[in-house]
């Protein structure tokens, strides 16, 4: 039975911890994993732009001994030329796995049903699971654990927020989500995370008040406007500027580190000086994208 990675919400805490551990091992001893994808080809299909995800999958797959074919959906939408169900079934004729960055999560579900090979979510409107894994790998490296820590996400409730909630709940990391009113995380996904959190003893707090982040170990920022959101910056800037992640917020909360999935917009959602400070984990997160994804590929393609 092939296994997909669409959300992590259906994983057990033990499976999540094992995957994190595998990522640590692959990072420490890459030579031991240099043939796990030998002879395997992976198609990476992107409906949206990417720097980190595209390059880290390509180079990561190469380091595992495999081969990646990059497909750019030039028209912007897969549905323009043929149905997603046919695209996926065709790709599965040749590829050993499909990595896909898409506008709609439903496209990934269609891929999952139509392709008899693993489908890996490389970001959609609702989730960014590969990012979540890399981020907790980064926290694990910094703190030696994920259990009992507190991650405070500040900004727009979005795909990254959702995956931080789910992966954090699985790994025992408490969650605070601070958003402007009207920009909360999706209630059905918060409910998914809370169902996991009940089992792992994790607390999940949602607030519009920055003070809710006081005492957090890490503050996390992401863009105020996710890819595909055409809202003019001027329209949301006034609402979001009080939620900027900056030195004053780090001071007020007492957080040790700042994180951001990138691409970052300097002096909008996060100050440039904070990105460049010794509290910044941004490049470690970016590096860990590859190690986390290589753990995912190793597990899913060797199951
Ligand atoms: N963080 C992330 O997914 O970056 P890209 O959009 O550049 O892939
Ligand atoms: N929330 C952002 C994440 C980019 C990696 C977006 O979807 O554009």
């Amino acid at each position: 039975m092939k296994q997909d990675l669409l959300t992590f919400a259906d994983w057990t805490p033990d499976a999540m911890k094992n995957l994190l551990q595998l990522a640590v091992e692959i990072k420490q001893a890459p030579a031991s994993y240099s043939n796990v994808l030998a002879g395997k080809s992976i198609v990476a299909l992107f409906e949206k732009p990417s720097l980190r995800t595209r390059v880290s999958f390509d180079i990561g797959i190469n380091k595992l001994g495999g081969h990646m074919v990059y497909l750019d959906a030039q028209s912007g939408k897969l549905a323009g030329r043929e149905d997603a169900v046919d695209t996926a079934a065709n790709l599965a004729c040749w590829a050993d796995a499909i990595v896909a960055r898409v506008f709609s999560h439903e496209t990934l579900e269609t891929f999952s049903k139509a392709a008899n090979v693993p489908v890996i979510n490389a970001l959609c409107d609702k989730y960014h699971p590969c990012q979540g894994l890399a981020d907790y790998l980064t926290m694990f490296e910094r703190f030696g654990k994920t259990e009992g820590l507190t991650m405070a996400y500040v900004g727009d409730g979005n795909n990254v927020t959702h995956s931080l909630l789910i992966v954090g709940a699985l790994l025992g990391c408490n969650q605070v989500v601070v958003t402007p009113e009207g920009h909360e995380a999706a209630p059905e996904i918060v409910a998914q995370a809370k169902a996991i959190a009940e089992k792992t003893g994790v607390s999940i707090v949602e607030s519009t008040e920055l003070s809710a982040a006081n005492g957090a170990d890490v503050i996390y920022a992401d863009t105020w406007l996710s890819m595909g959101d055409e809202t003019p910056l001027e329209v949301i800037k006034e609402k979001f500027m009080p939620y900027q992640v900056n030195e004053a917020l780090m001071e007020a909360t007492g957080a040790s580190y700042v994180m951001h999935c990138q691409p970052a917009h300097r002096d909008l959602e996060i100050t440039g000086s904070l990105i460049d400070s010794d509290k910044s984990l941004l490049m470690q997160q970016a590096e860990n994208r590859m190690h986390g994804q290589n753990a995912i590929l190793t597990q899913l393609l060797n199951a």
Side-chain angles (χ1 to χ4, degrees):
M1 200 31 199
K2 63 127 177 182
Q3 191 188 1
D4 299 314
L5 172 53
L6 301 195
T7 73
F8 278 132
D10 51 347
W11 284 45
T12 64
D14 279 348
M16 195 71 234
K17 276 182 217 154
N18 290 342
L19 186 69
L20 186 79
Q21 195 51 46
L22 180 60
V24 170
E25 279 168 30
I26 294 176
K27 186 171 179 179
Q28 280 169 356
S32 309
Y33 294 86
S34 60
N35 282 314
V36 292
L37 295 187
K40 299 208 167 155
S41 298
I42 290 138
V43 168
L45 186 153
F46 283 70
E47 285 187 331
K48 300 181 184 183
S50 170
L51 176 74
R52 280 146 292 273
T53 309
R54 177 183 175 177
V55 176
S56 59
F57 264 111
D58 196 335
I59 293 181
I61 288 166
N62 186 260
K63 286 187 191 295
L64 296 177
H67 163 241
M68 189 183 104
V69 176
Y70 174 72
L71 271 187
D72 188 356
Q74 286 139 358
S75 62
K77 286 216 191 291
L78 280 173
R81 189 154 176 264
E82 58 196 307
D83 288 347
V85 64
D86 296 320
T87 305
N90 274 264
L91 292 177
C93 292
W94 317 294
D96 297 286
I98 300 171
V99 170
R101 168 168 288 193
V102 296
F103 283 96
S104 166
H105 187 69
E106 283 164 19
T107 305
L108 291 170
E109 287 172 342
T110 302
F111 275 23
S112 166
K113 286 195 198 101
N116 60 354
V117 295
V119 174
I120 297 170
N121 183 353
L123 180 148
C124 66
D125 54 341
K126 292 187 176 158
Y127 305 97
H128 197 0
C130 297
Q131 183 69 52
L133 176 60
D135 295 337
Y136 289 103
L137 172 59
T138 305
M139 282 180 82
F140 181 79
E141 288 175 333
R142 287 284 160 164
F143 294 95
K145 61 177 185 178
T146 52
E147 288 93 352
L149 298 174
T150 300
M151 153 84 74
Y153 176 93
V154 178
D156 179 41
N158 64 19
N159 46 7
V160 170
T161 325
H162 297 155
S163 286
L164 290 174
L165 279 167
I166 289 168
V167 182
L170 286 166
L171 291 174
C173 183
N174 298 312
Q175 303 289 313
V176 179
V177 179
V178 180
T179 60
E181 208 177 323
H183 296 268
E184 292 82 5
E188 69 278 12
I189 298 176
V190 176
Q192 276 181 337
K194 282 189 172 163
I196 299 167
E198 258 177 45
K199 291 184 208 137
T200 54
V202 158
S203 118
I204 296 182
V205 173
E206 290 180 279
S207 180
T208 55
E209 302 292 328
L210 285 166
S211 58
N214 289 352
D217 296 290
V218 166
I219 304 289
Y220 198 111
D222 185 17
T223 182
W224 296 334
L225 290 172
S226 284
M227 289 179 276
D229 186 342
E230 302 294 342
T231 312
L233 178 60
E234 292 317 314
V235 172
I236 52 129
K237 203 171 163 181
E238 201 180 327
K239 200 172 193 182
F240 275 82
M241 213 57 196
Y243 294 84
Q244 183 188 60
V245 173
N246 54 30
E247 283 81 351
L249 183 67
M250 297 301 287
E251 184 77 22
T253 57
S256 307
Y257 296 111
V258 67
M259 299 176 78
H260 189 308
C261 56
Q262 302 187 74
H265 306 91
R266 286 172 177 257
D267 301 325
L268 287 175
E269 75 269 8
I270 184 169
T271 50
S273 49
L274 193 53
I275 293 177
D276 298 330
S277 76
D278 57 9
K279 289 190 185 302
S280 169
L281 299 185
L282 274 68
M283 293 309 150
Q284 192 176 338
Q285 292 173 262
E287 186 195 332
N288 281 338
R289 290 296 306 278
M290 186 180 79
H291 305 298
Q293 287 155 197
N294 281 2
I296 293 167
L297 290 161
T298 299
Q299 173 145 342
L300 265 50
L301 276 81
N302 286 286

